[in-house]
Amino acid sequence: MPLTMVKAGEPSVIKKVGGKEETKKFLESLGFVVGGIVTVVSEISGNMIVNIKESRVAINKEMANKILV
């Protein structure tokens, strides 16, 4: 399921990162790699703040939909 459907506070394992090649590279540079653990901190109108590799990252709904957990 896409990251946008995960409840806040639930750690999830990343199964796939989709999108165009440049989008994948950008997300991977932020730490969104297959097998990584991501935890949703909060969601405001679809935009999300997540914990990934001990960092907090803000991503928009479009990006979050490309990350499958």
Side-chain angles (χ1 to χ4, degrees):
M1 70 178 164
L3 187 59
T4 50
M5 295 180 75
V6 175
K7 292 179 185 162
E10 279 184 20
S12 302
V13 178
I14 298 171
K15 304 271 194 259
K16 182 181 177 190
V17 179
K20 295 180 183 172
E21 197 58 38
E22 62 191 50
T23 305
K24 285 183 187 179
K25 292 255 189 260
F26 174 71
L27 289 170
E28 285 174 5
S29 73
L30 293 175
F32 295 95
V33 292
V34 174
I37 304 289
V38 61
T39 306
V40 175
V41 176
S42 66
E43 180 183 357
I44 302 161
S45 64
N47 299 320
M48 307 185 97
I49 297 174
V50 298
N51 271 345
I52 184 87
K53 293 196 174 178
E54 297 161 23
S55 298
R56 282 199 176 182
V57 179
I59 55 174
N60 64 22
K61 190 175 188 175
E62 187 180 319
M63 291 276 192
N65 276 324
K66 292 179 178 10
I67 301 165
L68 302 178
V69 295

